[in-house]
Amino acid sequence: MGLILKYFLEINKFNLLYSLIIFLMFSNIKYFFISFGSFGTFVGFVNFNYFHGNQYYLYYNLGYTKIKLILISWLFNVSISIILYYLLKI
C-alpha cells in the first residue's frame, strides 16, 4: 500500500499545480475540484510518464501494472474531489 501512496502523491504534485492554475484563472472553487478529479489527473499521468517513466518498471516488478496504478489514483482523486466539494459547499 505504501507504493500506491507514493505513486498517488507523485501524480498529484502535477495535478495540484494544474488545478491551482485553473482555480486562479476562473476564481471558482468548483473548477478546481472538477479539474482535480478529471483532466488534472490526466495531466499528472502525462507528466509522471515524462519525468519518472522508468519507475513503472519498479511498480511492475512488485506486481502493480500501469493500468491498476492509474485506476486507483483516478478513483482516489474523483472520490476526494466529490467529498471535498460537498463539504465545502455547505
Side-chain angles (χ1 to χ4, degrees):
M1 189 63 167
L3 284 175
I4 294 175
L5 181 63
K6 180 186 179 312
Y7 181 78
F8 178 73
L9 294 175
E10 289 286 330
I11 292 293
N12 284 324
K13 280 193 308 191
F14 303 111
N15 186 1
L16 283 173
L17 179 63
Y18 176 76
S19 298
L20 183 63
I21 291 170
I22 295 295
F23 169 69
L24 293 174
M25 284 175 49
F26 295 107
S27 299
N28 190 344
I29 195 71
K30 180 173 91 172
Y31 292 125
F32 174 82
F33 292 120
I34 291 170
S35 172
F36 184 78
S38 61
F39 192 69
T41 306
F42 174 72
V43 170
F45 295 140
V46 170
N47 284 318
F48 181 83
N49 197 29
Y50 181 77
F51 291 112
H52 306 289
N54 290 333
Q55 287 186 12
Y56 281 120
Y57 292 116
L58 169 75
Y59 293 114
Y60 185 74
N61 286 337
L62 295 172
Y64 298 106
T65 62
K66 187 176 182 179
I67 298 297
K68 183 177 179 179
L69 291 169
I70 289 172
L71 285 175
I72 289 171
S73 297
W74 182 75
L75 287 173
F76 280 160
N77 283 346
V78 169
S79 301
I80 289 170
S81 295
I82 291 170
I83 291 168
L84 288 178
Y85 176 73
Y86 284 112
L87 284 177
L88 294 176
K89 188 177 177 182
I90 295 173

